[in-house]
Amino acid sequence: MRKIIPALLAAAPLFATPAFAQDGTAFNGPRIEALVGYDHLGAGSDTDTRNDGKIDGVTYGVGIGYDANLGSVVLGVEGEITDSSAKTNYGPLTSSFGFGRVSAGRDLYVGARAGFLATPETLVYAKVGYTNQKLGVLAGDLNQRTDTSFKLDGWRVGGGVERQFGSNVYGKLEYRYSNYDEAHINYASGAQSARFGIDTDRHQVVAGVGYRF
């Protein structure tokens, strides 16, 4: 008996894990999350990069979503609003980001994701969707934004790993790439320019912690 009881206690997690996956709580239902990570924006491959640089910073924000656990496959929809600390450094205008002296502002994203269960508590997924980025125009001292801004439209793809901790809390790590191919200018007067073509790339590595209801 002294040998059997410790053996049963050691085996208990092996039985608990499948039950957790089968009760439908893993990767199923609405969720909310906090996000933070590395942010890089730069000129795309169609742009003369000799005169266009890059900006780096920290992205942070919140996301919401809804997932449906279909067994071994999980399908979901999601949305995010994030901001960024990335902005151009002081220097000649011709070596700045490509839109003049700018600071990255809020970014809106809406999309879908699909994944498979690598383990009952681990989801490996890919994502795709629409993204809209705001770039604020900086004043000459590079510390103050004006009311003029660029609005960039594009698409995003990415992938990541999400880990469920208990029935409600989860963490994730993902990489995403965004390409913005169209933009317009919002002037301080309230006027708006016609849309014009651009080629701007964005790379992000983001960690998140969330709660599933």
Side-chain angles (χ1 to χ4, degrees):
M1 180 65 70
R2 285 178 295 180
K3 294 181 178 180
I4 293 175
I5 291 177
L8 291 175
L9 292 175
L14 299 177
F15 295 98
T17 296
F20 170 70
Q22 293 170 3
D23 66 9
T25 58
F27 311 108
N28 194 73
R31 57 185 171 87
I32 186 170
E33 60 194 23
L35 303 165
V36 65
Y38 168 71
D39 194 16
H40 168 90
L41 287 92
S45 58
D46 292 339
T47 305
D48 184 354
T49 55
R50 292 173 299 175
N51 295 321
D52 292 278
K54 59 187 179 180
I55 55 177
D56 299 274
V58 176
T59 183
Y60 51 91
V62 295
I64 58 173
Y66 185 92
D67 296 312
N69 187 337
L70 305 180
S72 59
V73 175
V74 175
L75 302 178
V77 293
E78 58 185 3
E80 294 177 9
I81 179 168
T82 58
D83 207 332
S84 176
S85 66
K87 65 180 180 179
T88 51
N89 295 319
Y90 186 80
L93 188 59
T94 55
S95 64
S96 64
F97 178 63
F99 293 92
R101 295 190 174 110
V102 297
S103 59
R106 66 104 186 100
D107 181 76
L108 304 176
Y109 167 78
V110 60
R113 70 176 189 170
F116 67 92
L117 297 179
T119 73
E121 305 91 1
T122 306
L123 175 69
V124 179
Y125 64 89
K127 62 190 294 177
V128 62
Y130 163 79
T131 175
N132 177 275
Q133 167 70 36
K134 180 179 179 181
L135 297 177
V137 177
L138 291 167
D141 60 6
L142 295 184
N143 291 316
Q144 181 179 356
R145 297 188 188 187
T146 71
D147 291 332
T148 303
S149 62
F150 294 88
K151 297 288 184 64
L152 283 57
D153 292 296
W155 49 269
R156 176 176 297 169
V157 294
V161 178
E162 185 171 304
R163 174 78 175 183
Q164 194 85 9
F165 301 105
S167 59
N168 299 105
V169 179
Y170 65 89
K172 71 177 187 179
L173 181 67
E174 70 176 40
Y175 163 79
R176 55 260 201 113
Y177 164 76
S178 303
N179 179 265
Y180 304 96
D181 54 11
E182 193 174 64
H184 67 268
I185 303 173
N186 285 349
Y187 296 102
S189 63
Q192 189 177 101
S193 75
R195 291 183 176 273
F196 53 91
I198 60 170
D199 183 17
T200 300
D201 289 339
R202 187 174 207 167
H203 300 273
Q204 296 174 312
V205 179
V206 177
V209 176
Y211 184 88
R212 194 177 303 274
F213 297 93

